[in-house]
Amino acid sequence: MSELRLTAEEQAMLAGELGPGVQKAMDIVVTLGRIYGAPDLVPVTHVQIAGVSYKNIGDAGVEFLADWADAGARVRVPTMLNPMGMEEARWQEIGFAAAFAQPQLRAIGAFAKLGVQQTLSCVPYLLPEAGLHFGDHVAWAESSAVVFGNSVLGLHTNREGGPSALAAAVVGRTARYGYHQDTNRRANWIVEVACPVHTVAEFGALGYLVGQQVGNGCLWFADLAAWLPPLAEDITQGGAAGDRLKTLGAALAGYGAVALYHIDGYTPEARQHGAALLGPAPQRLRIDSLAPAYAVMDANPEVTAIDLVTIGCPHASLSEIEAIADYVRGKQLRTRLWVTTGRLIRARAEEAGWVQAIEAAGGMVVADTCAVVAPVRQLGIRSMATNAGKMACYAPAHSGVTMRYGELEQCLEAALSGTWPAT
């Protein structure tokens, strides 16, 4: 292990002079820094924590969080939570069992005691409250957030684990390795996209094809800007570009382990540095058709009856919620529709009347959770439909459901009729 330089304050934290909770956090951060050969620690401006759902962390995780909170640890930088396994306000109405809800609420209570904001969303970049700026060093754990933050916003973050992200929040630092170092942000893959990609579902399919080929590579998309509208400065609304890049990154991380991509002439670092972001002798990948992705992601073409249509993985933006509201307004659904999002985004959509339009049609705009981390089989759900590449990747394995994958309009038609539309 290489030598890791610590400031006097960091040494005091490690020695336990600021209490056992801080000492535990600094020990995690320092250990990771030494493992990865970091020269020092870097201050972070924001933290996002995964490993929140009781479905994933179990009783051992709940006890771990409660013990850490009881040890006196408190976060010292703005810190947000990933989705949990249910909506806090309506878990009984939706049908979740108390045996699941009670330990889930205990875990959330421990996070609250630690000072973590109860955002319960995988899209911190859509929340103005995060206060993010180009070049910020952050410590994020949600894979889809990591790739969006690095790529679209020009943040610097590795993919933290749940405990390491919480540790970074408690000490306000993370180890300077990986994507916190500019030399590691150069692309080692050049990707050419030789087929049309317009919609969210198509960008998810592209993410599948690329992610499975490149693993944890750092990507340079040579020509993807031709298939994207201008990137709005106010990304917190989502918008056509933001929604497509959100699902692209989620699929790249879900089917591979991509944490950073550049789009020539489009993403902020690519605009700033151009071809200087290409590493030596990059590998090349050309995508000629999305059909191989649809053959895998639309995994159960024999299934026509749909128990749940789920939109919002990563969590739905305001622009997506508006589009869904416009589509179903004045109609009546015949199967369950969940539009999953964060509680802060849901509140803004409610102010605009979009939540009311969706729920009047029989759907639900569900906050705090999503169909990957929620125990959906407890609700009798056996078949699902989505336009989200990450959901198509994770839900069959995590939730034991059959899956249909396609365009937003196909999904909403399935919600209205109860069956997947024939093509």
Side-chain angles (χ1 to χ4, degrees):
M1 294 183 184
S2 62
E3 185 62 30
L4 177 69
R5 298 188 302 274
L6 299 179
T7 66
E9 181 184 12
E10 291 160 357
Q11 291 171 351
M13 291 180 185
L14 188 60
E17 296 176 18
L18 279 71
V22 174
Q23 183 180 34
K24 178 189 289 189
M26 183 55 81
D27 184 57
I28 292 172
V29 171
V30 166
T31 298
L32 288 171
R34 288 172 175 160
I35 289 171
Y36 289 105
D40 59 2
L41 307 184
V42 58
V44 294
T45 62
H46 191 270
V47 173
Q48 194 258 358
I49 297 171
V52 180
S53 172
Y54 178 62
K55 177 181 174 181
N56 295 335
I57 65 174
D59 292 327
V62 176
E63 293 301 327
F64 174 81
L65 293 169
D67 289 347
W68 208 345
D70 290 343
R74 300 294 181 269
V75 303
R76 61 176 59 202
V77 297
T79 304
M80 293 179 169
L81 275 185
N82 222 34
M84 62 173 168
M86 63 187 194
E87 182 177 312
E88 184 174 22
R90 296 188 291 179
W91 64 267
Q92 290 171 303
E93 175 187 341
I94 294 172
F96 293 113
F100 181 90
Q102 289 166 358
Q104 178 67 89
L105 292 172
R106 185 169 178 237
I108 297 305
F111 280 119
K113 188 173 181 180
L114 287 157
V116 180
Q117 299 173 41
Q118 307 291 286
T119 46
L120 297 159
S121 181
C122 51
V123 291
Y125 46 87
L126 294 183
L127 305 177
E129 293 84 353
L132 304 168
H133 300 93
F134 175 82
D136 282 354
H137 290 267
V138 302
W140 284 3
E142 160 59 38
S143 63
S144 65
V146 167
V147 66
F148 193 99
N150 275 328
S151 309
V152 182
L153 300 183
L155 305 178
H156 291 63
T157 182
N158 296 315
R159 182 180 177 181
E160 301 280 353
S164 70
L166 180 53
V170 170
V171 301
R173 296 157 172 81
T174 192
R176 193 191 302 272
Y177 70 94
Y179 290 117
H180 292 286
Q181 297 176 313
D182 289 341
T183 54
N184 294 323
R185 298 176 70 86
R186 299 174 69 191
N188 53 21
W189 281 87
I190 296 175
V191 182
E192 299 176 20
V193 181
C195 58
V197 279
H198 297 288
T199 66
V200 164
E202 288 173 345
F203 271 81
L206 175 65
Y208 164 79
L209 293 172
V210 176
Q212 67 164 351
Q213 291 289 325
V214 305
N216 64 353
C218 180
L219 312 182
W220 177 268
F221 283 103
D223 47 12
L224 191 57
W227 301 107
L228 285 162
L231 188 61
E233 292 203 9
D234 185 10
I235 199 67
T236 63
Q237 303 298 308
D243 292 338
R244 295 171 200 180
L245 295 177
K246 175 163 66 79
T247 200
L248 170 67
L252 287 169
Y255 291 102
V258 174
L260 171 61
Y261 62 81
H262 307 287
I263 300 175
D264 187 13
Y266 193 84
T267 50
E269 286 174 285
R271 294 197 308 268
Q272 186 177 85
H273 301 295
L277 284 173
L278 286 170
Q283 299 182 73
R284 289 184 174 269
L285 175 64
R286 176 185 169 99
I287 303 299
D288 291 304
S289 170
L290 301 179
Y294 279 89
V296 174
M297 299 168 79
D298 188 23
N300 302 102
E302 75 285 356
V303 173
T304 57
I306 304 299
D307 297 329
L308 173 67
V309 174
T310 178
I311 309 296
C313 180
H315 269 173
S317 67
L318 286 172
S319 58
E320 289 176 301
I321 297 172
E322 180 183 16
I324 295 165
D326 288 344
Y327 198 97
V328 303
R329 184 177 284 108
K331 302 173 183 176
Q332 194 61 41
L333 307 181
R334 298 189 65 179
T335 197
R336 279 183 275 200
L337 168 67
W338 283 9
V339 183
T340 54
T341 193
R343 55 178 62 177
L344 296 176
I345 295 174
R346 186 188 191 281
R348 291 172 189 137
E350 195 165 24
E351 291 173 2
W354 302 328
V355 171
Q356 295 88 328
I358 293 169
E359 299 199 340
M364 295 189 74
V365 181
V366 179
D368 304 342
T369 190
C370 82
V372 170
V373 298
V376 295
R377 284 184 67 87
Q378 291 184 10
L379 307 180
I381 292 166
R382 299 294 182 268
S383 61
M384 286 171 42
T386 190
N387 71 332
K390 181 178 178 179
M391 180 68 67
C393 172
Y394 285 167
H398 282 243
S399 301
V401 296
T402 57
M403 178 62 66
R404 298 305 308 263
Y405 178 76
E407 301 298 335
L408 176 63
E409 293 77 12
Q410 289 176 287
C411 293
L412 295 179
E413 284 300 320
L416 289 166
S417 68
T419 60
W420 190 252
T423 56

